Amino acid sequence: MTTRTETATRILQYIGDDFVPPSSNAYIDDVDPATGHAYAQVPDGDANDVDRAVAAAKKAFPAWSATPAAERSRLLMAIADAMEQEIDALARIESIDSGKPIALARAMDIPRAIANFRFFATAILHTKSELHATDTEALNYTLRRPLGVVAGISPWNLPLYLLTWKIAPALAAGNTVVAKPSEITPMSAFELARIAKAVGLPAGVLNIIHGRGPQIGPSLTGHPDVKAISFTGGTATGTSIAAIAAPKLKKLSLELGGKNPNVVFADADLDDAVKTGLRAAFRNQGQICLCGSRILVEQSAYDEFVERFVAGAVTLRQGDPLDTATEQGAIVSKQHFDKIMSYLSLAKEEGGTILCGGGAAPKINERCKDGWFIQPTVIVDLPMSCRTNQEEIFGPVVTIAPFKDEDEAVQLANDTPYGLSATLWTQSLNRAHRVADRIDAGTVWVNCWMFRDLRVPFGGMKASGVGREGGDDALHFFTEPKNVCVKT
Ligand code: TXE
């Protein structure tokens, strides 16, 4: 099957209601990581494109913010329905663009992107505001007003899933949006722009611009008419955005990296802990901020767990991302492939023992002979203090270490700069609650991984970010509360 973007050589900026070339008239290559070859071109956007997009969004704001919630909801639902119609094509685009297995894009990325629109399209119809009667003196209530033009900047690992997680609540709440997807995986965002136009989203309500982050990003995050920035990406980039936005008093939500512990107590259901632990470690080639990349196992279960985990890791089906049976696809870019490979060398220098994987995968097939594939890798014998255990590798690389008791498990789990998520495996109800409370993480899963109820606040502690998204938190982020106090 051939999709629109596979045949397109160039995608364009979506500004106002138009698809336009970048002001620079320059383009960068979009490379299929499974083949290592460019298959399309992406606008090399700059500050002029940002200015045009922000101006279009600013112009659209008065009418969009005054549009009844029911109508905003209808349009967001129409986008979701149109995406559903194109679900197979979108999954294929996402797979080619990012190297992820097409089955994963079809089962997770695109359905979740659709769900994001549906969730916020309905949530906005059910918001409520409390009234506080202050004795018999006054009535206090809170109005929530949209902010204006807001920016959404998203990464390459879950391209459409994370972009829509920002766009949907922002639009539902009545803001207009300038969105910038990752230049490494821009194609599904381009398709989203096409869909938004086709369903009749008014001009300027959603603008999607492309370009290299360091070149186009600061002009967007520093733009005086951008009132809020929702960013998902690396911690270093998040920090640089905060440095630009904070002095301008912009609202900021930063969803950054993770180095998430997966803590297995000896009383755990080991079948489940191994099976789910493999998914948590290697899904999307380990390129999910929620991946459980540090496995901690109680001493008495350590040998058995390691043996079973490695046996599972070597059977993961690594293959062409477009093969529906593939479980492990390509690494997103050459640059990221090199970064992960350098961590494999570092792990050896730091004294780690590689139990499986440890390097580039053997040739996948003729189509993928120049692609970037790394074998699922399991490393033991490393102290928690070493860089391999402290830094986010963001690849199919997991370490396993033993612990002796609950206190040590908590201490090791918390011993990184990050605090995004954690998983606990135990049959003890008391311990589950006790340890969940002691772990520094925005989300703790007990006997499961990556279940997401879109109503709960999502985000990280420590270097994993600031702010929470999801449900009411997202709608609150994209609105400004105004208290009204009426004397009675
Ligand atoms: O992401 P960047 P990179 C982690 C992971 C990875 C590291 C770096 O460890 O190895 O971050 O990845 C845009 N102003 N995560 O460099 O740069 C960029 O164009 C404004 C974790 O590829 O953070 C893209 O749209 N925007 C993460 C987005 O930021 C800028 C997912 C993210 O890219 C910008 C991805 C700037 N100065 C990587 N510079 C997660 N939390 O899930 C870049 N961008």
Side-chain angles (χ1 to χ4, degrees), residues 271-336:
D271 288 345
D272 215 3
V274 168
K275 192 166 142 238
T276 307
L278 286 164
R279 273 199 306 124
F282 298 121
R283 183 174 261 196
N284 202 33
Q285 300 73 251
Q287 301 166 125
I288 300 180
C289 53
L290 300 167
C291 277
S293 52
R294 288 183 302 134
I295 304 181
L296 306 169
V297 187
E298 192 164 359
Q299 189 72 66
S300 59
Y302 181 78
D303 290 341
E304 184 184 353
F305 182 91
V306 170
E307 190 184 326
R308 290 171 66 176
F309 192 86
V310 171
V314 296
T315 62
L316 290 170
R317 279 190 302 258
Q318 188 150 36
D320 187 331
L322 292 179
D323 179 342
T324 52
T326 292
E327 293 172 312
Q328 289 289 296
I331 301 301
V332 74
S333 66
K334 172 75 165 67
Q335 190 187 10
H336 196 52

Side-chain angles (χ1 to χ4, degrees), residues 156-173:
W156 41 257
N157 57 335
L158 305 167
L160 198 57
Y161 174 143
L162 290 173
L163 191 69
T164 54
W165 183 234
K166 301 175 185 314
I167 291 173
L171 294 183

Side-chain angles (χ1 to χ4, degrees), residues 154 156-157 180 182-183 213 217 231 233-234 237 256 289 336 339 392:
S154 58
W156 41 257
N157 57 335
K180 199 210 84 64
S182 170
E183 61 273 32
F231 170 81
T237 312
L256 309 175
C289 53
H336 196 52
K339 174 183 158 180
E392 187 183 43

Side-chain angles (χ1 to χ4, degrees), residues 247-271:
K248 300 190 172 180
L249 307 178
K250 293 173 190 280
K251 278 184 103 171
L252 259 187
S253 170
L254 303 174
E255 304 291 347
L256 309 175
K259 190 75 181 176
N260 310 304
N262 183 357
V263 185
V264 183
F265 289 94
D267 68 347
D269 175 338
L270 273 202
D271 288 345

Side-chain angles (χ1 to χ4, degrees), residues 129-430:
S129 173
E130 286 188 353
L131 184 141
H132 303 274
T134 316
D135 301 322
T136 54
E137 299 287 310
L139 298 177
N140 286 272
Y141 59 90
T142 306
L143 298 172
R144 289 201 163 267
R145 296 295 185 225
L147 303 170
V149 180
V150 299
I153 302 176
S154 58
W156 41 257
N157 57 335
L158 305 167
L160 198 57
Y161 174 143
L162 290 173
L163 191 69
T164 54
W165 183 234
K166 301 175 185 314
I167 291 173
L171 294 183
N175 302 278
T176 54
V177 174
V178 178
K180 199 210 84 64
S182 170
E183 61 273 32
I184 301 172
T185 54
M187 284 300 175
S188 53
F190 178 70
E191 291 297 316
L192 175 65
R194 201 180 49 69
I195 286 170
K197 184 176 166 73
V199 304
L201 196 70
V205 168
L206 173 64
N207 307 271
I208 298 183
I209 53 174
H210 304 273
R212 286 173 288 144
Q215 171 162 307
I216 195 172
S219 43
L220 179 59
T221 54
H223 198 292
D225 288 331
V226 169
K227 304 298 180 203
I229 301 154
S230 173
F231 170 81
T232 302
T235 296
T237 312
T239 308
S240 77
I241 290 174
I244 292 175
K248 300 190 172 180
L249 307 178
K250 293 173 190 280
K251 278 184 103 171
L252 259 187
S253 170
L254 303 174
E255 304 291 347
L256 309 175
K259 190 75 181 176
N260 310 304
N262 183 357
V263 185
V264 183
F265 289 94
D267 68 347
D269 175 338
L270 273 202
D271 288 345
D272 215 3
V274 168
K275 192 166 142 238
T276 307
L278 286 164
R279 273 199 306 124
F282 298 121
R283 183 174 261 196
N284 202 33
Q285 300 73 251
Q287 301 166 125
I288 300 180
C289 53
L290 300 167
C291 277
S293 52
R294 288 183 302 134
I295 304 181
L296 306 169
V297 187
E298 192 164 359
Q299 189 72 66
S300 59
Y302 181 78
D303 290 341
E304 184 184 353
F305 182 91
V306 170
E307 190 184 326
R308 290 171 66 176
F309 192 86
V310 171
V314 296
T315 62
L316 290 170
R317 279 190 302 258
Q318 188 150 36
D320 187 331
L322 292 179
D323 179 342
T324 52
T326 292
E327 293 172 312
Q328 289 289 296
I331 301 301
V332 74
S333 66
K334 172 75 165 67
Q335 190 187 10
H336 196 52
F337 173 92
D338 290 341
K339 174 183 158 180
I340 298 168
M341 292 295 276
S342 76
Y343 272 105
L344 296 178
S345 304
L346 176 71
K348 284 182 220 154
E349 281 164 31
E350 291 182 323
T353 306
I354 294 183
L355 298 183
C356 66
K363 182 174 157 182
I364 299 289
N365 62 17
E366 195 51 29
R367 187 182 94 86
C368 299
K369 67 180 191 309
D370 298 323
W372 306 307
F373 294 80
I374 293 180
Q375 295 168 311
T377 299
V378 179
I379 309 172
V380 294
D381 298 335
L382 285 171
M384 204 45 61
S385 56
C386 72
R387 284 183 55 207
T388 306
N389 267 327
Q390 291 291 312
E391 297 175 15
E392 187 183 43
I393 299 173
F394 220 61
V397 182
V398 71
T399 62
I400 312 183
F403 65 83
K404 62 178 187 307
D405 57 21
E406 199 173 295
D407 283 342
E408 191 182 34
V410 171
Q411 184 256 317
L412 294 174
N414 287 339
D415 187 13
T416 76
Y418 294 100
L420 190 58
S421 69
T423 299
L424 306 179
W425 294 93
T426 178
Q427 294 295 310
S428 161
L429 185 64
N430 293 351

